[in-house]
Amino acid sequence: MLCVKYILEIQIYLWRMRLEREFMDYDVVIVGAGPSGLSAACRLKQVNPDISVCIVEKGSEVGAHILSGAVLEPSALNELFPEWKDMGAPVTTPVTDDHIFVFTGAEKSIKVPGLFAPKTMHNHGNYIISLGKLCRWLGEQAENLGVDIFPGFAAAEVLYGDNNEVLGIATGDMGVGHNGENKGSYTQGMELRAKYTLFSEGCRGHLGKQLIAKYALDAGKDPQHYGLGIKELWKVPADQHKPGLVVHSAGWPLDESKSLGGGFLYHLEDNTVAVGLITNLSYTNTFLSPYDEFQRYKHHPEIKKHLQGGERLTYGARALLKGGLQSQPKMSFPGGLLIGDDAGTLNFAKIKGSHTAMKSGMVAAETVAAALSADKNNTDLEEYAAAYKASWAYKELHMQRNFGPAQHKFGNIIGSAYAFIDINIFNGKLPWTLTDKIADHETLKPASECTKIDYPKHDGVLSFDKASSVFMSNTNHEEDQPCHLVLADPDMPIAKNLELYDEPAQRYCPAGVYEVLANEDGSPRFQINAQNCVHCKTCDIKEPSQNINWVVPEGAGGPNYPNM
């Protein structure tokens, strides 16, 4: 009997060991190797080299999931690494010319004199960059300072203590089949425990979303507002390449459906051109396809002339925040902070967010370092709010706080005129703050109230189909895994959305993830091609009933952007 007792005790011990995950302890754990997270890590080590810091990144490498325009305002980089030019930062193409157009039709446009543009759109002193390249460089600086970076591991779960404080994160299990059963390759996730955890997942971070809900961080705030940015990188003939040229536009094609947004085209180095369209996700016409709006955007003469004769290199898409201060949640909670676009620091008036994200991370690092030096851990760093409010990043957002709501209320043209008066003349000091209380997922009208949009066929020269575009994003997921696009009600897409909205997911997704197909008996079925997902988060944002919950797939899954 004694032998049996020992055997049982050993079996129970081994069973418990299988349940308990391996763990590593750090002073600070940072979720996401974007500009805010990397800047926070570097600043922590600059303030106190003895602070142990790690970054967990779901992309296969630093920069793999980074997508932005991007025009960089170097203010935060100047503070973080004053000698960045001598250090070889990939910031080498200064803006040389700035054009703003209102596209009044498929063939027509009006060029806006710089004098009449909101000063936030002026780019003198800024640089055209690949944000992915900059993040890789920041990652190298972080590692040189002693930061541990773990790419290819997705932060899947927040760890909580007995007092509801955040204690770190756990990475997702690997090797789980689509049926939820462990495969032969199964590897249990690991706990990364910390005295403070910084969440820098970018726009609509799935853990950030949970934290905002758990701690009611958005109480008293406007709902967050979003845009979907779709971008391509092109190689163009040398004789039509103009390094440093910045082009922004408003109007066509989105104005045909009374939708909002705008386009961009930037000439980088090495005969490359970035082109993209941002569609505000407050659009109302359920038949609108942001992907197809972008494809026809490239046919406008003012865009086409930069691309003709060129070759498309890369494609990608990513949601962005544009709610501003009115939508910015409380950024602190017990044991951690939201930083960067997890907290909504993007300046939509400038169509820029890298510099404000970096600054939010740097202020967070200084706040955390001070707390650690005072032997604090896992507390609510409410002092961060005052430090952030004292920074130029907050002041910049406050000055331009009414830009986004004005666009929603008055449209692109009148909204921009309002912004000119508010920002250029009154320097953002008008004694009121506009609000926008309608969430983007609440704006779709029923299909019966919308005009169908007949999009032209793609020509394979300037415009392309979704399948070939997703291929150019280098997107890859392990196919035999649980679907990371979770439906709260699996019947809703067909039972409700198909009849009411003609199932908008098949159009708002820029990667062909969602389809309505016919069964053998002719009845419709909803299909999710999760392996196509480029992690843009649009479905999590725009689904009218908030029925789709985006969670992390296995680490390293998703797009592999080389230089977006």
Side-chain angles (χ1 to χ4, degrees), residues 24-91:
M24 297 176 68
D25 285 319
Y26 285 90
D27 292 321
V28 182
V29 167
I30 299 172
V31 180
S36 62
L38 290 164
S39 297
C42 291
R43 190 74 186 120
L44 278 163
K45 284 294 191 177
Q46 289 173 342
V47 173
N48 184 351
D50 294 329
I51 294 174
S52 59
V53 183
C54 87
I55 302 175
V56 59
E57 163 58 39
K58 65 184 176 68
S60 60
E61 63 175 349
V62 173
H65 288 178
I66 295 293
L67 184 147
S68 182
V71 174
L72 175 72
E73 187 171 311
S75 46
L77 185 59
N78 290 337
E79 293 181 14
L80 186 62
F81 292 109
E83 305 301 322
W84 58 266
K85 290 183 180 180
D86 296 331
M87 296 170 68
V91 181

Side-chain angles (χ1 to χ4, degrees), residues 291-524:
Y291 177 88
D292 290 299
E293 295 290 324
F294 170 55
Q295 295 307 312
R296 64 178 182 151
Y297 171 76
K298 289 179 289 179
H299 285 271
H300 192 282
E302 287 294 341
I303 302 302
K304 180 180 179 180
K305 68 183 184 183
H306 295 278
L307 304 178
Q308 59 190 359
E311 175 190 5
R312 188 173 67 145
L313 302 176
T314 314
Y315 167 88
R318 186 70 171 94
L320 55 90
L321 300 133
K322 59 185 189 65
L325 286 182
Q326 295 90 315
S327 303
Q328 197 170 86
K330 181 176 182 285
M331 298 162 80
S332 68
F333 46 87
L337 296 170
L338 298 177
I339 59 176
D341 272 0
D342 240 348
T345 60
L346 182 139
N347 184 340
F348 189 61
K350 289 186 173 182
I351 324 177
K352 296 177 186 65
S354 299
H355 66 301
T356 47
M358 292 173 69
K359 183 61 176 178
S360 74
M362 293 158 64
V363 175
E366 291 160 3
T367 303
V368 169
L372 292 172
S373 67
D375 292 327
K376 295 181 181 179
N377 60 274
N378 307 107
T379 57
D380 188 340
L381 296 174
E382 294 185 331
E383 59 268 33
Y384 176 68
Y388 174 69
K389 196 169 184 177
S391 73
W392 55 256
Y394 176 91
K395 294 172 183 176
E396 179 180 303
L397 291 177
H398 184 266
M399 184 182 77
Q400 296 148 25
R401 68 196 181 281
N402 287 327
F403 181 89
Q407 297 280 315
H408 278 199
K409 287 181 181 292
F410 310 128
N412 282 143
I413 307 304
I414 298 177
S416 295
Y418 173 91
F420 177 87
I421 296 170
D422 186 3
I423 297 171
N424 289 38
I425 298 176
F426 289 94
N427 212 31
K429 294 180 180 178
L430 288 173
W432 57 74
T433 297
L434 301 178
T435 61
D436 188 347
K437 300 292 186 181
I438 302 174
D440 292 344
H441 71 270
E442 298 174 333
T443 60
L444 271 189
K445 293 180 179 179
S448 60
E449 299 178 18
C450 298
T451 301
K452 287 191 176 182
I453 303 174
D454 185 20
Y455 289 107
K457 290 184 179 180
H458 309 122
D459 65 3
V461 178
L462 288 175
S463 51
F464 307 89
D465 60 37
K466 285 184 180 178
S468 65
S469 296
V470 173
F471 177 79
M472 300 200 78
S473 70
N474 301 308
T475 294
N476 184 57
H477 293 88
E478 165 60 49
E479 291 196 23
D480 186 15
Q481 65 172 303
C483 182
H484 68 279
L485 304 161
V486 182
L487 301 180
D489 179 358
D491 296 327
M492 183 176 289
I494 300 301
K496 177 182 177 182
N497 287 351
L498 184 59
E499 180 178 356
L500 187 57
Y501 300 109
D502 193 41
E503 184 43 70
Q506 57 189 325
R507 289 176 296 278
Y508 59 60
C509 173
V513 170
Y514 302 100
E515 294 181 283
V516 176
L517 304 177
N519 293 312
E520 290 184 2
D521 62 1
S523 61

